[in-house]
Amino acid sequence: MTKKDAISILENMAVDMVGALADMRKKNPMRGILEQRIDAINVAQRALDPSYKSNRNVMLTISDLKNMNGQKIYLENEDGGFYGLVEVIKDAVSIVNGSGNGVPVDFLEKYKYKFYREKIDD
């Protein structure tokens, strides 16, 4: 297995975990565990290849999101953040949140959410 293969498999694992978050209640103790594992996967991907998507902490635009159907992202505003999956149907872009609901991106922008490929490191 190459490092590139490992990075790809880790990305698929993270997408699966974000999908599992969509079916979980907020109070489920597994939520924190899955979010921690997603963060660990992101760190592992960078460790395998430090140049791996070096733009991962660059804010994504709606145009970027339109090309990311089914991919995980991290959303954040002044009240906190969460992982979601991008869902593109025709030209409509939504983010599937932890409740399994597709929330339109323009609605999220009204609440000053910013979109990133992964959680911003402090």
Side-chain angles (χ1 to χ4, degrees), residues 14-30:
V15 167
D16 291 344
M17 289 179 197
V18 171
L21 285 173
D23 293 332
M24 274 185 202
R25 295 180 183 259
K26 290 236 180 227
K27 295 182 180 180
N28 187 326
M30 281 300 296

Side-chain angles (χ1 to χ4, degrees), residues 83-96:
Y83 288 99
L85 292 176
V86 178
E87 180 179 67
V88 181
I89 300 174
K90 296 187 180 180
D91 278 338
V93 181
S94 297
I95 305 301
V96 178

Side-chain angles (χ1 to χ4, degrees), residues 77-115:
N77 71 4
E78 62 273 359
D79 295 327
F82 63 94
Y83 288 99
L85 292 176
V86 178
E87 180 179 67
V88 181
I89 300 174
K90 296 187 180 180
D91 278 338
V93 181
S94 297
I95 305 301
V96 178
N97 63 18
S99 301
N101 299 319
V103 182
V105 170
D106 57 348
F107 178 81
L108 292 165
E109 285 186 318
K110 288 179 187 176
Y111 289 91
K112 300 186 184 197
Y113 276 97
K114 296 177 182 172
F115 312 100

Side-chain angles (χ1 to χ4, degrees), residues 61-78:
T61 65
I62 292 177
S63 182
D64 295 330
L65 295 173
K66 284 183 179 182
N67 296 312
M68 295 178 65
N69 191 38
Q71 294 184 39
K72 73 173 174 69
I73 62 165
Y74 188 78
L75 295 80
E76 171 175 88
N77 71 4
E78 62 273 359

Side-chain angles (χ1 to χ4, degrees), residues 3-15 38-53 56 72 117-118:
K3 287 182 180 182
K4 185 176 178 180
D5 293 337
I7 289 169
S8 179
I9 289 169
L10 289 167
E11 182 69 19
N12 290 335
M13 290 169 56
V15 167
I38 293 166
D39 290 340
I41 287 170
N42 292 334
V43 171
Q45 288 172 316
R46 286 191 306 269
L48 286 168
D49 182 359
S51 67
Y52 171 68
K53 294 186 180 175
R56 294 189 71 78
K72 73 173 174 69
R117 292 189 184 275
E118 63 184 45

